[in-house]
Amino acid sequence: MDLSSLSTIRIAACDLNGQLRGKRMPSEAAAKLADGGARMPLSALNLDLWGSDIDDSPLVFESGDIDGVLKPTSRGPVPMPWLETASALVPMTLDYDDGTPFPGDPRHALETVLARYADRGWTVMAATEMEFNLVDDSGDQPCPPKNPLTGRALDSHAIISLAELDAFDAFFTDLYQASAAMGIPAQTAISEGGLGQFEINLNHQDALRAADDAWLFKVMVKGIARKHGMAATFMAKPYADEAGNGMHVHFSVVDGDGNNVFDDGSETGGELLQQAVAGCLAAMPASTLIFAPHGNSYDRLVPGAHAPTAATWGYENRTVAIRIPGGNPKARRIEHRVAGGDINPYLMLATVLGAAMLGVDDQMTPPAPTTGNAYEAAGVPQLAADWGAAIEAFEQDPLIARILPAMMISNMAMTKRQEMKLFAERPKDSHWLSLLESV
């Protein structure tokens, strides 16, 4: 993308909550970015949801709050069509001065996991399903948006409704145009089960690019919604009595010849698929904090609410946590169905793919696949029941320690403990204000 015609640009890296942390600068400064011409405190990627330092973080006073070097990622600059003045966002990662990747950077965590696949000559392909709500946030509580055709607030469910999609045609037209301009492969859009809830699938591609695009998509959707007089939220549970927002991810692994290593020509998939499933299941309970990073996330993870609550798997079964879709064996893949829409895409994919690789490395064997209603399955490992339990399990689990850097684990636990404390000091009915557009 040519930046010379722009007056200013933005540069940003991704913090633990998936928020953009960075700077606005004159466009001519872009020429210096590749040579380390931009710096930012390492602690900037380890802030709480409101952008405050983490108490007692070794990244702040203990180290003197040192700077790291921002470097452009392989994703390259993208336009920001939701702004009134033309500009561009340059996605960045954060390194130490000597060029070593900063282990508190979520994108670097995913890169490290993907390098383990590359060591075997493998490439991970991934696709994401992005669920979000359009919201009227003008009152004391979030409300469904007004139908642009009638001017009346949505008051009924419209599952797979073309009429509801067409009522918001102006919004979706802008969204697809923005996606095309940014190089985000937005595919099918559907009206989902909640009031004002929609889902857009992003096409399968290299897993690092898929994470980049999921991160950028969330920013873009929120910006486009504001242009149309609404808010868009990826909160896991915007309304207590409505369906929550998830972010399912589908992934497969191809070898150097382009063959899907999960495909053995059968309907059940090969040994490597079984091992990858087993790894995902083994790490799942302790990974709950990654899949449900906020207190509101646990309102979604309840039995019978279309979100998994236990480490189960099965074929063509949407009540399990790990689903193996049917179809052509050449497209055999794993669908991981646990994460909420409020996750950090880099950390979510790093944890899922890291767990799958552990299953392969350790030649794990999964239990028998679940048939029927997985919510009624007995004797299966459960996800963490609440935010506090999730933090404890994540911080202490030996499998998590093999997937993510020690600094990442420590930073995440400190951040979430601070957020849990601060939310406890705020009225419950105001929590949505902190989460609406920040997750």
Side-chain angles (χ1 to χ4, degrees), residues 216-304:
L216 293 170
F217 182 84
K218 293 176 73 172
V219 175
M220 179 265 289
V221 169
K222 296 168 190 175
I224 297 295
R226 284 298 179 192
K227 285 186 65 176
H228 288 265
M230 302 174 287
T233 187
F234 292 82
M235 283 176 63
K237 197 73 169 177
Y239 308 113
D241 299 325
E242 294 290 329
N245 289 315
M247 197 198 90
H248 301 168
V249 62
H250 296 245
F251 72 95
S252 58
V253 180
V254 297
D255 63 21
D257 296 322
N259 300 309
N260 183 351
V261 305
F262 291 162
D263 170 30
D264 67 349
S266 72
E267 293 183 357
T268 56
E271 184 180 37
L272 289 172
L273 181 139
Q274 304 282 319
Q275 292 172 353
V277 167
C280 287
L281 294 175
M284 188 177 293
S287 304
T288 306
L289 184 64
I290 297 295
F291 307 139
H294 307 285
N296 174 263
S297 308
Y298 296 84
D299 295 337
R300 171 179 169 266
L301 297 179
V302 295

Side-chain angles (χ1 to χ4, degrees), residues 85-325:
T85 303
S87 188
L89 171 67
V90 184
M92 312 289 281
T93 51
L94 198 57
D95 295 347
Y96 290 115
D97 272 332
D98 64 2
T100 304
F102 172 51
D105 184 321
R107 193 177 193 271
H108 282 324
L110 177 55
E111 289 174 321
T112 300
V113 168
L114 293 175
R116 299 171 195 165
Y117 285 84
D119 288 343
R120 289 177 173 260
W122 293 348
T123 300
V124 183
M125 305 296 289
T128 54
E129 300 175 2
M130 311 293 295
E131 292 183 346
F132 60 92
N133 284 81
L134 294 177
V135 173
D136 176 358
D137 66 332
S138 60
D140 293 334
Q141 292 295 314
C143 296
K146 293 180 180 179
N147 182 316
L149 298 181
T150 67
R152 294 187 293 273
L154 301 182
D155 62 359
S156 61
H157 300 111
I159 298 174
I160 317 294
S161 168
L162 282 180
E164 184 133 312
L165 285 170
D166 289 344
F168 291 89
D169 177 67
F171 166 78
F172 282 103
T173 295
D174 277 359
L175 186 154
Y176 274 96
Q177 289 176 348
S179 296
M182 297 173 70
I184 297 174
Q187 301 295 307
T188 303
I190 62 170
S191 174
E192 264 287 359
L195 289 173
Q197 185 185 43
F198 300 94
E199 176 188 284
I200 293 184
N201 297 334
L202 305 187
N203 202 18
H204 71 284
Q205 56 186 331
D206 175 86
L208 185 58
R209 174 72 180 237
D212 286 338
D213 285 354
W215 181 52
L216 293 170
F217 182 84
K218 293 176 73 172
V219 175
M220 179 265 289
V221 169
K222 296 168 190 175
I224 297 295
R226 284 298 179 192
K227 285 186 65 176
H228 288 265
M230 302 174 287
T233 187
F234 292 82
M235 283 176 63
K237 197 73 169 177
Y239 308 113
D241 299 325
E242 294 290 329
N245 289 315
M247 197 198 90
H248 301 168
V249 62
H250 296 245
F251 72 95
S252 58
V253 180
V254 297
D255 63 21
D257 296 322
N259 300 309
N260 183 351
V261 305
F262 291 162
D263 170 30
D264 67 349
S266 72
E267 293 183 357
T268 56
E271 184 180 37
L272 289 172
L273 181 139
Q274 304 282 319
Q275 292 172 353
V277 167
C280 287
L281 294 175
M284 188 177 293
S287 304
T288 306
L289 184 64
I290 297 295
F291 307 139
H294 307 285
N296 174 263
S297 308
Y298 296 84
D299 295 337
R300 171 179 169 266
L301 297 179
V302 295
H306 302 287
T309 56
T312 55
W313 78 289
Y315 294 93
E316 282 291 17
N317 186 339
R318 285 186 167 86
T319 68
V320 296
I322 303 289
R323 170 178 172 256
I324 310 302

